[in-house]
Amino acid sequence: MHLRDRLGASLATTAPRRLVVPGFRDAAVLVPIVERAGAATTLVFTVRPAAMPTHGGQISFPGGGREHGDTDAGATALREATEEIGVDPSGVEVLGMLDDVPTPLGFVI
């Protein structure tokens, strides 16, 4: 069984825990898992430019704050991944959602 299938099955059995933290901004990230025939499965990370006003120099998954037109966290994550690393949303299979996590900088991811 492929990693994709195992992760999808696991995520399908548990409802993600959602948090609402007053004063925190909603955000989302994509955890890009790349599987290629004959190659190791890899994760894709980004390095934030040092000059960014928040998270400068951090290594992270592609993502960011929710914007008005985003219908849900998945839409936010895909939009941000498209902007940051050129992901084509039509080539992405969303396996599921993880629990929300508050950050020290005032985001709920």
Side-chain angles (χ1 to χ4, degrees), residues 43-74:
L43 296 176
V44 177
F45 294 94
T46 64
V47 178
R48 304 283 185 185
M52 288 187 73
T54 58
H55 316 297
Q58 292 182 355
I59 297 170
S60 64
F61 292 116
R66 186 172 182 173
E67 293 185 359
H68 179 70
D70 296 339
T71 55
D72 57 23

Side-chain angles (χ1 to χ4, degrees), residues 13-104:
T13 63
T14 307
R17 181 179 53 111
R18 297 292 167 233
L19 297 177
V20 176
V21 181
F24 279 45
R25 183 172 175 208
D26 288 336
V29 298
L30 185 71
V31 180
I33 302 168
V34 180
E35 291 183 304
R36 294 186 190 110
T41 299
T42 58
L43 296 176
V44 177
F45 294 94
T46 64
V47 178
R48 304 283 185 185
M52 288 187 73
T54 58
H55 316 297
Q58 292 182 355
I59 297 170
S60 64
F61 292 116
R66 186 172 182 173
E67 293 185 359
H68 179 70
D70 296 339
T71 55
D72 57 23
T76 299
L78 286 171
R79 177 185 51 75
E80 288 283 342
T82 300
E83 292 173 4
E84 293 178 10
I85 61 173
V87 165
D88 177 358
S90 69
V92 174
E93 176 186 1
V94 176
L95 300 178
M97 305 294 260
L98 300 172
D99 292 344
D100 285 351
V101 177
T103 72

Side-chain angles (χ1 to χ4, degrees), residues 1-14 33 35 41 93 95-96:
M1 181 184 274
H2 288 278
L3 175 63
R4 174 186 66 247
D5 299 329
R6 292 193 316 265
L7 285 172
S10 179
L11 291 168
T13 63
T14 307
I33 302 168
E35 291 183 304
T41 299
E93 176 186 1
L95 300 178

